[in-house]
Amino acid sequence: MKTLNSLAIIGTQWGDEGKGKITNYLAKKADFVVRYQGGNNAGHSIILDNKRFALHLLPSGIFYKNVCNILANGVVIDLFGLVEEINNLKKNNIKDINLLISERAHLVFPYHKEIDAIFEKAKGKNKIGTTKQGIGPAYTDKVTRIGIRVIDLFDQKYLEEKLKENIFWKNLFLKSLGINKEIDFDELLQKLLEARIIIKPFIKDTSKIIYDAILDNKKVLFEGAQGVQLCLDHGTYPFVTSSSPTASSIPLNTGIPANFINEVLGITKSYTTRVGNGVFLTEINDKIAAKIRIKGNEFGTTTGRARRIGWFDAVLIRYAKRINGITKISLTLFDVLSGIKELKIAINYSLDNKNIDCIPTLLKDLERVKVEYITLKGWDEDITNVKSFDALPENAKKYLKAIEKYGEIRIAQFSVGPKPEQTIDLEKIW
Ligand code: GDP
Ligand code: IMO
Ligand code: MG
């Protein structure tokens, strides 16, 4: 088979690695940008012409009218959220929206968000810390086979029947919990009938379109949401999201053959963050964490929550490489580390005094893991205007080299600020 021009963009940690910035940067050269999982739990910040945009559902190539942006079958779509995002772009004078939506994608309804919040509350101290966007309950309906898909919006009789059935079950559930609130069928139906008009022109069988594009050697970017450690199957379960952000989920979630992904680029933050609950081995809670949080603007794009901060963890990167077939990484938020006297990198885990080059499946084992660190000297210089590897301070160069050594991965690109021009390519990405 000839070389394909498809590239997967995967968050290698717990999300918020800068996937939006890098996807947008690479999208200028792309023909297609495809979101394949998650929903508006994602928050991808992009700075363009000094304006900040927060995308939740729309792919990060949406600013370019020559790029076809696709929401594939694996995404769960909050119709009202999507319409709001489209309107927000229009308000900002981005009017030529080049978007396609898979008719097979499932919908997220307001009742999913309510159920998400109810489950979180019921879990008390064991809550996951979800974004409360209804992601878990929407995927639950999909696998329970009671979900409602985009295509169903256009068969009113079927839609009414399915919506009634769903609302019946949801109301019964609310009642059983003693919650004195009923979901109103007529009101929801009316709102859906209005919103469907806006998305109607975008609805297609996107699987065939992506398949044909890849065969035709078009440049196709797959934009992951979340990160490997939030993967439903390979992350720190149960403190994960309800889909798989890994490269292996792309074929299923877009409807293309497994061998249609040519390369996998990992997006990796120069330190680690996590938003939501769950074990975070390299977490720090001191003044350095506070400094990184402010400098890196580490507050959730979707929920505004302060992100937890930790040292770079090379074990996570080796894991992400193995699970996804990552061939190279883009290292982001590197500028944030200027002005820190000493920097630590986690290089190995051990459990019961034995080295383990894996992430234990049981949370109670993960909690007991001992982390081995190396310590490197930091640098004071501001690097936000640096344009090459050679222009970096010596200690910054050593930090990058250590990430390559212990992460067992090549850094193909690094980023020293949120703007597209603050991106340094060390090799051709695609
Ligand atoms: P995503 O979810 O992976 O797209 O990441 P988010 O957008 O949620 O979070 C990344 C944050 O870092 C955003 O505020 C970006 O604007 C910002 N950002 C991305 N790359 C860089 C960088 O190299 N340096 C700095 N200082 N900020 C960056
Ligand atoms: P992007 O694409 C960071 C986290 C939540 C919570 C867990 C489950 O911006 O990197 P969910 O609402 O999905 O049921 O929440 O997953 N989470 C994210 N954390 N970045 C994200 O997306 C996230 N999407 C979900 O905080 O811990
Ligand atoms: Mg984010």
Side-chain angles (χ1 to χ4, degrees):
M1 196 156 73
K2 59 188 172 187
T3 307
L4 304 172
N5 274 320
S6 54
L7 177 72
I9 293 192
I10 306 292
T12 56
Q13 294 146 322
W14 274 285
D16 302 326
E17 298 91 347
K19 298 175 294 293
K21 175 198 154 156
I22 300 301
T23 306
N24 178 260
Y25 172 81
L26 295 173
K28 265 188 260 173
K29 289 197 275 173
D31 298 301
F32 289 80
V33 179
V34 184
R35 267 283 306 271
Y36 57 92
Q37 44 71 234
N40 55 3
N41 48 349
H44 296 182
S45 300
I46 289 153
I47 298 199
L48 266 187
D49 304 328
N50 289 322
K51 249 191 218 165
R52 179 178 280 276
F53 294 91
L55 299 178
H56 301 284
L57 271 164
L58 291 172
S60 297
I62 201 71
F63 306 97
Y64 312 116
K65 61 172 187 269
N66 298 329
V67 177
C68 178
N69 290 274
I70 297 185
L71 295 176
N73 56 281
V75 177
V76 284
I77 300 179
D78 166 2
L79 195 54
F80 308 125
L82 179 61
V83 169
E84 197 181 314
E85 264 186 64
I86 293 173
N87 287 339
N88 189 36
L89 287 188
K90 286 186 179 158
K91 265 191 234 146
N92 280 286
N93 262 333
I94 296 150
K95 296 200 167 109
D96 279 319
I97 293 192
N98 190 347
L99 176 69
L100 296 177
I101 303 171
S102 167
E103 53 194 24
R104 287 175 180 266
H106 278 247
L107 292 164
V108 181
F109 294 103
Y111 51 71
H112 290 128
K113 296 187 185 189
E114 283 181 36
I115 293 170
D116 193 349
I118 289 167
F119 271 127
E120 282 287 274
K121 197 166 166 210
K123 283 180 181 154
K125 68 174 180 27
N126 293 325
K127 73 174 181 186
I128 292 164
T130 72
T131 58
K132 300 202 180 118
Q133 295 299 318
I135 304 301
Y139 278 116
T140 301
D141 281 1
K142 176 177 177 176
V143 297
T144 317
R145 291 153 296 168
I146 57 167
I148 300 178
R149 299 186 296 174
V150 166
I151 199 165
D152 302 331
L153 289 168
F154 301 95
D155 177 344
Q156 195 168 332
K157 192 164 167 278
Y158 183 82
L159 175 67
E160 287 186 19
E161 197 184 294
K162 286 287 153 193
L163 203 59
K164 264 197 190 128
E165 189 184 312
N166 268 282
I167 289 178
F168 170 80
W169 288 115
K170 275 28 172 199
N171 279 338
L172 206 63
F173 172 69
L174 293 180
K175 205 169 160 196
S176 73
L177 291 175
I179 296 169
N180 202 7
K181 186 177 175 192
E182 289 227 329
I183 299 155
D184 189 308
F185 167 79
D186 292 316
E187 190 191 326
L188 181 54
L189 179 69
Q190 206 44 47
K191 280 170 73 184
L192 289 173
L193 296 181
E194 282 163 28
R196 73 175 181 178
I197 301 168
I198 299 168
I199 64 152
K200 189 159 191 228
F202 308 132
I203 311 306
K204 286 273 168 0
D205 171 4
T206 55
S207 143
K208 175 85 167 76
I209 292 169
I210 304 167
Y211 179 85
D212 288 343
I214 294 181
L215 270 191
D216 201 21
N217 253 63
K218 293 278 188 283
K219 287 174 100 73
V220 181
L221 273 182
F222 293 97
E223 178 181 9
Q226 291 85 50
V228 175
Q229 291 303 323
L230 289 171
C231 173
L232 180 61
D233 278 79
H234 301 289
T236 42
Y237 191 89
F239 294 95
V240 293
T241 190
S242 299
S243 68
S244 173
T246 62
S248 25
S249 90
I250 296 173
L252 176 70
N253 283 324
T254 61
I256 58 165
N259 57 353
F260 265 35
I261 311 291
N262 188 44
E263 275 226 64
V264 186
L265 175 70
I267 312 298
T268 301
K269 202 174 265 194
S270 304
Y271 43 96
T272 315
T273 59
R274 180 167 197 173
V275 56
N277 298 336
V279 183
F280 180 0
L281 290 174
T282 65
E283 182 167 18
I284 46 173
N285 281 301
D286 53 10
K287 276 189 193 152
I288 297 174
K291 188 169 171 177
I292 291 177
R293 185 173 297 115
I294 298 297
K295 214 165 157 205
N297 189 22
E298 295 295 359
F299 297 90
T301 312
T302 301
T303 58
R305 289 178 292 177
R307 294 175 183 150
R308 298 158 67 192
I309 311 284
W311 296 119
F312 188 88
D313 187 339
V315 183
L316 297 187
I317 308 310
R318 298 200 293 266
Y319 182 76
K321 179 184 161 190
R322 172 165 71 80
I323 295 287
N324 294 280
I326 290 171
T327 43
K328 49 196 172 187
I329 60 168
S330 172
L331 194 81
T332 55
L333 291 110
F334 193 34
D335 53 300
V336 175
L337 296 182
S338 290
I340 297 171
K341 215 167 147 215
E342 283 186 332
L343 297 161
K344 286 188 178 186
I345 294 180
I347 57 165
N348 274 315
Y349 290 176
S350 63
L351 191 63
D352 300 326
N353 296 319
K354 276 195 211 95
N355 249 344
I356 48 161
D357 194 16
C358 63
I359 298 169
T361 306
L362 276 179
L363 277 188
K364 59 180 185 201
D365 286 342
L366 187 60
E367 280 162 1
R368 294 191 302 116
V369 159
K370 295 256 180 313
V371 180
E372 182 190 347
Y373 288 98
I374 53 160
T375 304
L376 298 172
K377 287 208 175 74
W379 60 94
D380 282 329
E381 295 89 332
D382 174 7
I383 57 168
T384 52
N385 291 315
V386 156
K387 300 279 179 237
S388 67
F389 178 82
D390 289 342
L392 286 171
E394 283 312 306
N395 286 345
K397 286 183 192 164
K398 285 185 185 154
Y399 190 78
L400 292 188
K401 289 284 166 209
I403 285 179
E404 287 195 321
K405 178 176 172 191
Y406 294 104
E408 296 172 10
I409 196 76
R410 229 166 56 235
I411 300 175
Q413 181 183 65
F414 65 94
S415 165
V416 292
K419 296 181 185 171
E421 57 272 25
Q422 291 172 301
T423 314
I424 294 99
D425 289 340
L426 300 175
E427 60 181 75
K428 193 166 176 282
I429 304 285
W430 68 326

